[in-house]
Short mmCIF file of all heavy atoms in Angstrom, two decimals:
data_model
loop_
_atom_site.label_atom_id
_atom_site.label_comp_id
_atom_site.label_asym_id
_atom_site.label_seq_id
_atom_site.Cartn_x
_atom_site.Cartn_y
_atom_site.Cartn_z
N GLY A 165 9.18 -2.94 35.02
CA GLY A 165 10.29 -2.74 34.09
C GLY A 165 11.40 -1.93 34.65
O GLY A 165 11.44 -1.57 35.86
N ALA A 166 12.35 -1.65 33.80
CA ALA A 166 13.53 -0.84 34.14
C ALA A 166 14.03 -0.15 32.91
O ALA A 166 13.79 -0.58 31.78
CB ALA A 166 14.62 -1.72 34.73
N ASP A 167 14.69 1.01 33.13
CA ASP A 167 15.34 1.67 31.98
C ASP A 167 16.61 2.39 32.45
O ASP A 167 16.76 2.70 33.64
CB ASP A 167 14.35 2.64 31.28
CG ASP A 167 13.83 3.77 32.18
OD1 ASP A 167 14.62 4.46 32.80
OD2 ASP A 167 12.63 3.94 32.21
N TRP A 168 17.46 2.65 31.52
CA TRP A 168 18.76 3.33 31.75
C TRP A 168 18.97 4.33 30.60
O TRP A 168 18.81 3.95 29.45
CB TRP A 168 19.89 2.36 31.85
CG TRP A 168 21.24 2.97 31.94
CD1 TRP A 168 21.85 3.48 33.04
CD2 TRP A 168 22.16 3.22 30.86
NE1 TRP A 168 23.12 4.00 32.73
CE2 TRP A 168 23.28 3.86 31.40
CE3 TRP A 168 22.09 2.95 29.49
CZ2 TRP A 168 24.38 4.22 30.60
CZ3 TRP A 168 23.18 3.35 28.68
CH2 TRP A 168 24.32 3.98 29.26
N THR A 169 19.32 5.56 30.95
CA THR A 169 19.52 6.59 29.97
C THR A 169 20.86 7.34 30.21
O THR A 169 21.12 7.67 31.35
CB THR A 169 18.39 7.61 29.99
OG1 THR A 169 17.12 6.94 29.82
CG2 THR A 169 18.53 8.66 28.90
N GLU A 170 21.59 7.54 29.16
CA GLU A 170 22.79 8.37 29.23
C GLU A 170 22.68 9.46 28.18
O GLU A 170 22.39 9.21 27.03
CB GLU A 170 24.08 7.60 28.96
CG GLU A 170 25.35 8.43 29.12
CD GLU A 170 26.59 7.63 28.94
OE1 GLU A 170 26.55 6.52 28.39
OE2 GLU A 170 27.66 8.07 29.45
N GLU A 171 22.87 10.72 28.69
CA GLU A 171 22.80 11.86 27.77
C GLU A 171 24.15 12.58 27.80
O GLU A 171 24.80 12.74 28.81
CB GLU A 171 21.75 12.87 28.24
CG GLU A 171 20.33 12.30 28.10
CD GLU A 171 19.26 13.34 28.47
OE1 GLU A 171 19.46 13.98 29.55
OE2 GLU A 171 18.31 13.47 27.71
N THR A 172 24.58 13.03 26.58
CA THR A 172 25.76 13.84 26.46
C THR A 172 25.47 15.04 25.59
O THR A 172 24.59 15.02 24.70
CB THR A 172 26.88 13.04 25.79
OG1 THR A 172 26.47 12.64 24.48
CG2 THR A 172 27.27 11.81 26.61
N SER A 173 26.18 16.13 25.85
CA SER A 173 26.01 17.35 25.06
C SER A 173 27.38 17.99 24.82
O SER A 173 28.26 17.87 25.68
CB SER A 173 25.07 18.32 25.71
OG SER A 173 25.71 18.90 26.87
N THR A 174 27.54 18.61 23.64
CA THR A 174 28.77 19.31 23.34
C THR A 174 28.42 20.69 22.80
O THR A 174 27.75 20.80 21.76
CB THR A 174 29.56 18.56 22.26
OG1 THR A 174 29.78 17.16 22.71
CG2 THR A 174 30.90 19.18 22.04
N LEU A 175 28.83 21.67 23.60
CA LEU A 175 28.57 23.11 23.18
C LEU A 175 29.88 23.69 22.75
O LEU A 175 30.77 23.97 23.56
CB LEU A 175 27.96 23.90 24.37
CG LEU A 175 26.55 23.50 24.77
CD1 LEU A 175 26.26 24.09 26.16
CD2 LEU A 175 25.57 23.98 23.75
N ASP A 176 30.02 23.92 21.46
CA ASP A 176 31.28 24.50 20.89
C ASP A 176 32.50 23.75 21.43
O ASP A 176 33.52 24.34 21.78
CB ASP A 176 31.36 25.96 21.18
CG ASP A 176 30.55 26.79 20.28
OD1 ASP A 176 30.07 26.27 19.24
OD2 ASP A 176 30.34 28.00 20.53
N GLY A 177 32.40 22.43 21.46
CA GLY A 177 33.54 21.60 21.90
C GLY A 177 33.60 21.25 23.39
O GLY A 177 34.35 20.37 23.78
N ASP A 178 32.81 22.00 24.21
CA ASP A 178 32.78 21.69 25.68
C ASP A 178 31.77 20.59 25.95
O ASP A 178 30.55 20.76 25.71
CB ASP A 178 32.43 22.91 26.45
CG ASP A 178 33.51 24.00 26.37
OD1 ASP A 178 34.69 23.59 26.13
OD2 ASP A 178 33.22 25.19 26.42
N ALA A 179 32.22 19.42 26.48
CA ALA A 179 31.37 18.27 26.66
C ALA A 179 30.86 18.19 28.08
O ALA A 179 31.49 18.56 29.06
CB ALA A 179 32.12 17.01 26.25
N SER A 180 29.67 17.64 28.22
CA SER A 180 29.06 17.33 29.54
C SER A 180 28.20 16.09 29.39
O SER A 180 27.79 15.75 28.27
CB SER A 180 28.22 18.49 30.10
OG SER A 180 27.20 18.86 29.15
N ASP A 181 27.88 15.44 30.48
CA ASP A 181 27.10 14.21 30.42
C ASP A 181 26.39 13.94 31.73
O ASP A 181 26.71 14.51 32.76
CB ASP A 181 27.97 12.99 30.08
CG ASP A 181 28.99 12.66 31.16
OD1 ASP A 181 28.64 12.03 32.14
OD2 ASP A 181 30.16 13.15 31.00
N ALA A 182 25.32 13.14 31.65
CA ALA A 182 24.59 12.77 32.85
C ALA A 182 23.88 11.48 32.53
O ALA A 182 23.59 11.15 31.35
CB ALA A 182 23.58 13.84 33.18
N SER A 183 23.53 10.69 33.55
CA SER A 183 22.84 9.41 33.33
C SER A 183 21.88 9.15 34.49
O SER A 183 22.01 9.73 35.56
CB SER A 183 23.82 8.27 33.19
OG SER A 183 24.53 8.13 34.41
N ASN A 184 20.91 8.29 34.24
CA ASN A 184 20.04 7.84 35.30
C ASN A 184 19.49 6.48 34.96
O ASN A 184 19.26 6.14 33.76
CB ASN A 184 18.94 8.83 35.62
CG ASN A 184 17.73 8.70 34.69
OD1 ASN A 184 17.79 9.10 33.53
ND2 ASN A 184 16.63 8.12 35.22
N GLY A 185 19.27 5.66 36.01
CA GLY A 185 18.63 4.38 35.84
C GLY A 185 17.41 4.33 36.73
O GLY A 185 17.28 5.07 37.69
N ALA A 186 16.41 3.57 36.30
CA ALA A 186 15.15 3.47 37.01
C ALA A 186 14.56 2.12 36.96
O ALA A 186 14.77 1.35 36.02
CB ALA A 186 14.17 4.50 36.44
N VAL A 187 13.78 1.79 38.01
CA VAL A 187 12.91 0.64 38.00
C VAL A 187 11.49 1.12 38.37
O VAL A 187 11.30 2.11 39.07
CB VAL A 187 13.32 -0.43 39.03
CG1 VAL A 187 14.70 -1.05 38.58
CG2 VAL A 187 13.50 0.16 40.42
N PHE A 188 10.46 0.43 37.84
CA PHE A 188 9.13 0.88 38.03
C PHE A 188 8.12 -0.29 37.99
O PHE A 188 8.44 -1.35 37.46
CB PHE A 188 8.75 1.96 36.94
CG PHE A 188 8.94 1.45 35.54
CD1 PHE A 188 7.95 0.72 34.92
CD2 PHE A 188 10.10 1.73 34.86
CE1 PHE A 188 8.12 0.30 33.61
CE2 PHE A 188 10.30 1.27 33.58
CZ PHE A 188 9.30 0.54 32.95
N GLY A 189 6.96 -0.03 38.56
CA GLY A 189 5.95 -1.01 38.54
C GLY A 189 4.55 -0.33 38.58
O GLY A 189 4.39 0.77 39.13
N GLU A 190 3.58 -1.02 38.03
CA GLU A 190 2.21 -0.47 38.05
C GLU A 190 1.23 -1.64 38.19
O GLU A 190 1.32 -2.64 37.49
CB GLU A 190 1.92 0.30 36.75
CG GLU A 190 0.56 0.96 36.72
CD GLU A 190 0.34 1.72 35.44
OE1 GLU A 190 0.18 1.05 34.37
OE2 GLU A 190 0.29 2.95 35.50
N VAL A 191 0.31 -1.49 39.11
CA VAL A 191 -0.74 -2.46 39.39
C VAL A 191 -2.10 -1.88 38.96
O VAL A 191 -2.48 -0.76 39.33
CB VAL A 191 -0.77 -2.89 40.86
CG1 VAL A 191 -1.90 -3.87 41.10
CG2 VAL A 191 0.57 -3.49 41.28
N LEU A 192 -2.81 -2.64 38.13
CA LEU A 192 -4.19 -2.31 37.73
C LEU A 192 -5.12 -3.36 38.38
O LEU A 192 -5.01 -4.57 38.10
CB LEU A 192 -4.35 -2.36 36.23
CG LEU A 192 -3.59 -1.24 35.42
CD1 LEU A 192 -2.15 -1.57 35.23
CD2 LEU A 192 -4.31 -1.08 34.05
N TYR A 193 -5.97 -2.84 39.23
CA TYR A 193 -6.83 -3.73 40.05
C TYR A 193 -8.29 -3.38 39.74
O TYR A 193 -8.76 -2.23 39.94
CB TYR A 193 -6.53 -3.54 41.50
CG TYR A 193 -7.46 -4.24 42.44
CD1 TYR A 193 -7.88 -5.55 42.19
CD2 TYR A 193 -7.90 -3.65 43.61
CE1 TYR A 193 -8.76 -6.24 43.05
CE2 TYR A 193 -8.78 -4.33 44.52
CZ TYR A 193 -9.20 -5.61 44.19
OH TYR A 193 -10.00 -6.24 45.06
N ALA A 194 -9.07 -4.36 39.26
CA ALA A 194 -10.51 -4.20 39.07
C ALA A 194 -11.17 -4.61 40.35
O ALA A 194 -11.42 -5.78 40.60
CB ALA A 194 -10.97 -5.06 37.89
N MET A 195 -11.53 -3.55 41.16
CA MET A 195 -12.15 -3.90 42.46
C MET A 195 -13.54 -4.48 42.27
O MET A 195 -13.95 -5.32 43.09
CB MET A 195 -12.31 -2.58 43.26
CG MET A 195 -10.97 -1.97 43.67
SD MET A 195 -11.15 -0.48 44.65
CE MET A 195 -12.06 -1.13 46.03
N SER A 196 -14.23 -4.11 41.22
CA SER A 196 -15.57 -4.63 40.89
C SER A 196 -15.78 -4.38 39.40
O SER A 196 -14.96 -3.86 38.73
CB SER A 196 -16.59 -3.93 41.74
OG SER A 196 -16.73 -2.58 41.39
N ASP A 197 -16.92 -4.76 38.92
CA ASP A 197 -17.28 -4.49 37.52
C ASP A 197 -17.39 -2.99 37.26
O ASP A 197 -17.29 -2.58 36.08
CB ASP A 197 -18.65 -5.11 37.19
CG ASP A 197 -18.58 -6.65 37.17
OD1 ASP A 197 -17.44 -7.17 37.04
OD2 ASP A 197 -19.64 -7.31 37.32
N ALA A 198 -17.51 -2.19 38.33
CA ALA A 198 -17.73 -0.74 38.12
C ALA A 198 -16.54 0.11 38.53
O ALA A 198 -16.46 1.30 38.21
CB ALA A 198 -18.94 -0.31 38.89
N THR A 199 -15.53 -0.45 39.25
CA THR A 199 -14.45 0.36 39.83
C THR A 199 -13.11 -0.21 39.48
O THR A 199 -12.85 -1.41 39.73
CB THR A 199 -14.57 0.44 41.32
OG1 THR A 199 -15.90 0.94 41.67
CG2 THR A 199 -13.53 1.39 41.92
N ASP A 200 -12.22 0.62 38.96
CA ASP A 200 -10.83 0.22 38.62
C ASP A 200 -9.89 1.13 39.37
O ASP A 200 -10.10 2.36 39.48
CB ASP A 200 -10.57 0.36 37.12
CG ASP A 200 -11.40 -0.58 36.30
OD1 ASP A 200 -11.64 -1.71 36.72
OD2 ASP A 200 -11.86 -0.17 35.23
N VAL A 201 -8.77 0.56 39.89
CA VAL A 201 -7.79 1.30 40.64
C VAL A 201 -6.41 1.06 40.00
O VAL A 201 -6.10 -0.06 39.64
CB VAL A 201 -7.76 0.87 42.14
CG1 VAL A 201 -6.61 1.55 42.84
CG2 VAL A 201 -9.07 1.22 42.80
N THR A 202 -5.61 2.10 39.87
CA THR A 202 -4.26 2.00 39.34
C THR A 202 -3.25 2.63 40.34
O THR A 202 -3.47 3.71 40.85
CB THR A 202 -4.14 2.75 37.99
OG1 THR A 202 -5.09 2.20 37.11
CG2 THR A 202 -2.75 2.59 37.45
N LEU A 203 -2.19 1.88 40.63
CA LEU A 203 -1.14 2.36 41.51
C LEU A 203 0.20 2.15 40.83
O LEU A 203 0.54 1.03 40.43
CB LEU A 203 -1.16 1.67 42.81
CG LEU A 203 -0.02 1.99 43.84
CD1 LEU A 203 -0.11 3.49 44.19
CD2 LEU A 203 -0.08 1.09 45.05
N GLY A 204 0.94 3.21 40.58
CA GLY A 204 2.23 3.16 39.96
C GLY A 204 3.34 3.76 40.85
O GLY A 204 3.11 4.79 41.46
N VAL A 205 4.55 3.16 40.83
CA VAL A 205 5.69 3.66 41.62
C VAL A 205 6.93 3.57 40.74
O VAL A 205 7.12 2.56 40.01
CB VAL A 205 5.89 2.86 42.89
CG1 VAL A 205 7.11 3.36 43.65
CG2 VAL A 205 4.67 2.91 43.79
N ARG A 206 7.81 4.55 40.81
CA ARG A 206 9.03 4.58 40.03
C ARG A 206 10.17 5.06 40.96
O ARG A 206 10.01 6.06 41.71
CB ARG A 206 8.91 5.51 38.83
CG ARG A 206 10.15 5.66 37.97
CD ARG A 206 9.95 6.60 36.85
NE ARG A 206 11.18 6.85 36.03
CZ ARG A 206 11.52 6.13 34.99
NH1 ARG A 206 10.72 5.24 34.47
NH2 ARG A 206 12.63 6.39 34.30
N TYR A 207 11.30 4.41 40.84
CA TYR A 207 12.52 4.76 41.56
C TYR A 207 13.60 5.12 40.55
O TYR A 207 13.93 4.36 39.73
CB TYR A 207 12.99 3.64 42.45
CG TYR A 207 14.30 3.90 43.20
CD1 TYR A 207 14.32 4.62 44.38
CD2 TYR A 207 15.51 3.49 42.63
CE1 TYR A 207 15.52 4.90 44.99
CE2 TYR A 207 16.71 3.73 43.29
CZ TYR A 207 16.72 4.44 44.49
OH TYR A 207 17.88 4.69 45.10
N ASP A 208 14.13 6.40 40.70
CA ASP A 208 15.17 6.88 39.78
C ASP A 208 16.47 7.12 40.53
O ASP A 208 16.44 7.72 41.63
CB ASP A 208 14.70 8.19 39.17
CG ASP A 208 13.76 8.00 37.96
OD1 ASP A 208 14.23 7.75 36.84
OD2 ASP A 208 12.55 8.07 38.19
N ALA A 209 17.53 6.65 39.96
CA ALA A 209 18.89 6.91 40.49
C ALA A 209 19.65 7.76 39.52
O ALA A 209 19.90 7.36 38.37
CB ALA A 209 19.66 5.61 40.70
N TYR A 210 19.95 9.04 39.89
CA TYR A 210 20.57 10.01 39.03
C TYR A 210 22.10 10.11 39.26
O TYR A 210 22.55 9.96 40.44
CB TYR A 210 19.96 11.42 39.23
CG TYR A 210 18.50 11.50 38.75
CD1 TYR A 210 17.48 11.20 39.61
CD2 TYR A 210 18.22 11.93 37.48
CE1 TYR A 210 16.16 11.24 39.19
CE2 TYR A 210 16.92 12.01 37.04
CZ TYR A 210 15.91 11.69 37.91
OH TYR A 210 14.55 11.78 37.50
N SER A 211 22.85 10.38 38.23
CA SER A 211 24.31 10.54 38.40
C SER A 211 24.67 11.76 39.14
O SER A 211 25.68 11.84 39.81
CB SER A 211 24.98 10.46 37.04
OG SER A 211 24.54 11.48 36.20
N ASP A 212 23.88 12.85 38.94
CA ASP A 212 24.28 14.16 39.51
C ASP A 212 23.33 14.70 40.57
O ASP A 212 23.53 15.76 41.11
CB ASP A 212 24.36 15.18 38.37
CG ASP A 212 25.46 14.80 37.34
OD1 ASP A 212 26.33 13.99 37.68
OD2 ASP A 212 25.35 15.25 36.20
N PHE A 213 22.24 13.97 40.82
CA PHE A 213 21.26 14.44 41.81
C PHE A 213 20.82 13.28 42.70
O PHE A 213 21.14 12.11 42.44
CB PHE A 213 20.01 15.08 41.08
CG PHE A 213 20.34 16.26 40.22
CD1 PHE A 213 20.49 16.09 38.86
CD2 PHE A 213 20.45 17.51 40.79
CE1 PHE A 213 20.82 17.18 38.03
CE2 PHE A 213 20.80 18.57 40.00
CZ PHE A 213 20.96 18.43 38.61
N ASP A 214 20.09 13.66 43.79
CA ASP A 214 19.67 12.61 44.71
C ASP A 214 18.65 11.66 44.06
O ASP A 214 17.94 12.01 43.15
CB ASP A 214 18.96 13.26 45.89
CG ASP A 214 19.94 14.10 46.77
OD1 ASP A 214 21.20 13.78 46.67
OD2 ASP A 214 19.52 14.99 47.50
N ASP A 215 18.67 10.38 44.53
CA ASP A 215 17.74 9.40 44.03
C ASP A 215 16.28 9.83 44.45
O ASP A 215 16.08 10.53 45.47
CB ASP A 215 18.02 8.04 44.69
CG ASP A 215 19.36 7.49 44.26
OD1 ASP A 215 20.01 8.12 43.37
OD2 ASP A 215 19.76 6.45 44.78
N GLN A 216 15.31 9.46 43.65
CA GLN A 216 13.97 9.93 43.88
C GLN A 216 12.98 8.82 43.68
O GLN A 216 13.13 7.92 42.87
CB GLN A 216 13.57 11.04 42.88
CG GLN A 216 14.35 12.31 43.09
CD GLN A 216 14.02 13.00 44.42
OE1 GLN A 216 12.83 12.97 44.83
NE2 GLN A 216 14.98 13.55 45.11
N VAL A 217 11.88 8.86 44.48
CA VAL A 217 10.75 7.96 44.32
C VAL A 217 9.55 8.80 43.94
O VAL A 217 9.20 9.76 44.64
CB VAL A 217 10.45 7.19 45.61
CG1 VAL A 217 9.18 6.34 45.45
CG2 VAL A 217 11.64 6.28 45.97
N THR A 218 8.84 8.42 42.86
CA THR A 218 7.64 9.10 42.43
C THR A 218 6.54 8.06 42.27
O THR A 218 6.82 6.90 42.03
CB THR A 218 7.86 9.90 41.11
OG1 THR A 218 8.36 8.97 40.08
CG2 THR A 218 8.80 11.01 41.30
N GLY A 219 5.26 8.56 42.33
CA GLY A 219 4.20 7.59 42.23
C GLY A 219 2.90 8.26 41.80
O GLY A 219 2.84 9.51 41.78
N ARG A 220 1.93 7.41 41.46
CA ARG A 220 0.64 7.92 41.03
C ARG A 220 -0.44 6.93 41.42
O ARG A 220 -0.28 5.73 41.28
CB ARG A 220 0.60 8.14 39.53
CG ARG A 220 -0.73 8.64 38.95
CD ARG A 220 -0.61 8.91 37.50
NE ARG A 220 -1.83 9.41 36.93
CZ ARG A 220 -2.83 8.61 36.42
NH1 ARG A 220 -2.66 7.31 36.42
NH2 ARG A 220 -3.92 9.16 35.92
N PHE A 221 -1.56 7.48 41.92
CA PHE A 221 -2.72 6.68 42.27
C PHE A 221 -3.92 7.22 41.46
O PHE A 221 -4.13 8.46 41.41
CB PHE A 221 -3.02 6.77 43.76
CG PHE A 221 -4.31 6.06 44.16
CD1 PHE A 221 -4.34 4.69 44.33
CD2 PHE A 221 -5.44 6.77 44.33
CE1 PHE A 221 -5.51 4.03 44.67
CE2 PHE A 221 -6.65 6.15 44.69
CZ PHE A 221 -6.67 4.77 44.91
N ALA A 222 -4.72 6.34 40.85
CA ALA A 222 -5.90 6.76 40.07
C ALA A 222 -7.02 5.79 40.33
O ALA A 222 -6.80 4.57 40.54
CB ALA A 222 -5.55 6.82 38.63
N ILE A 223 -8.24 6.30 40.34
CA ILE A 223 -9.42 5.47 40.50
C ILE A 223 -10.47 5.96 39.50
O ILE A 223 -10.64 7.17 39.25
CB ILE A 223 -9.95 5.58 41.95
CG1 ILE A 223 -11.11 4.58 42.14
CG2 ILE A 223 -10.27 6.98 42.34
CD1 ILE A 223 -11.53 4.39 43.61
N ALA A 224 -11.22 5.01 38.94
CA ALA A 224 -12.34 5.30 38.05
C ALA A 224 -13.52 4.45 38.44
O ALA A 224 -13.39 3.22 38.67
CB ALA A 224 -11.93 5.03 36.61
N HIS A 225 -14.70 5.11 38.55
CA HIS A 225 -15.91 4.39 38.99
C HIS A 225 -17.01 4.70 37.97
O HIS A 225 -17.33 5.89 37.74
CB HIS A 225 -16.35 4.84 40.37
CG HIS A 225 -17.59 4.23 40.84
ND1 HIS A 225 -17.76 2.91 41.18
CD2 HIS A 225 -18.88 4.78 40.94
CE1 HIS A 225 -18.95 2.64 41.51
NE2 HIS A 225 -19.73 3.77 41.38
N ARG A 226 -17.60 3.65 37.43
CA ARG A 226 -18.70 3.78 36.52
C ARG A 226 -20.01 3.70 37.28
O ARG A 226 -20.40 2.66 37.81
CB ARG A 226 -18.67 2.67 35.45
CG ARG A 226 -17.44 2.81 34.52
CD ARG A 226 -17.24 1.61 33.65
NE ARG A 226 -16.76 0.48 34.38
CZ ARG A 226 -15.53 0.29 34.81
NH1 ARG A 226 -14.61 1.19 34.49
NH2 ARG A 226 -15.12 -0.78 35.49
N GLY A 227 -20.64 4.91 37.41
CA GLY A 227 -21.80 4.99 38.22
C GLY A 227 -23.05 4.62 37.47
O GLY A 227 -23.00 4.04 36.37
N ALA A 228 -24.17 5.02 38.01
CA ALA A 228 -25.45 4.69 37.39
C ALA A 228 -25.63 5.43 36.11
O ALA A 228 -25.14 6.57 35.94
CB ALA A 228 -26.60 5.00 38.38
#
Side-chain angles (χ1 to χ4, degrees):
D167 60 54
W168 173 83
T169 304
E170 182 176 22
E171 293 184 312
T172 61
S173 70
T174 306
L175 290 166
D176 281 347
D178 294 331
S180 57
D181 63 84
S183 63
N184 83 286
V187 293
F188 54 86
E190 184 179 69
V191 177
L192 291 80
Y193 173 43
M195 294 182 62
S196 67
D197 292 339
T199 305
D200 297 322
V201 174
T202 303
L203 175 63
V205 178
R206 179 181 175 94
Y207 175 84
D208 281 276
Y210 292 88
S211 60
D212 299 340
F213 299 98
D214 294 337
D215 297 354
Q216 293 293 322
V217 176
T218 54
R220 179 177 181 269
F221 174 82
I223 185 170
H225 175 73
R226 293 169 289 281

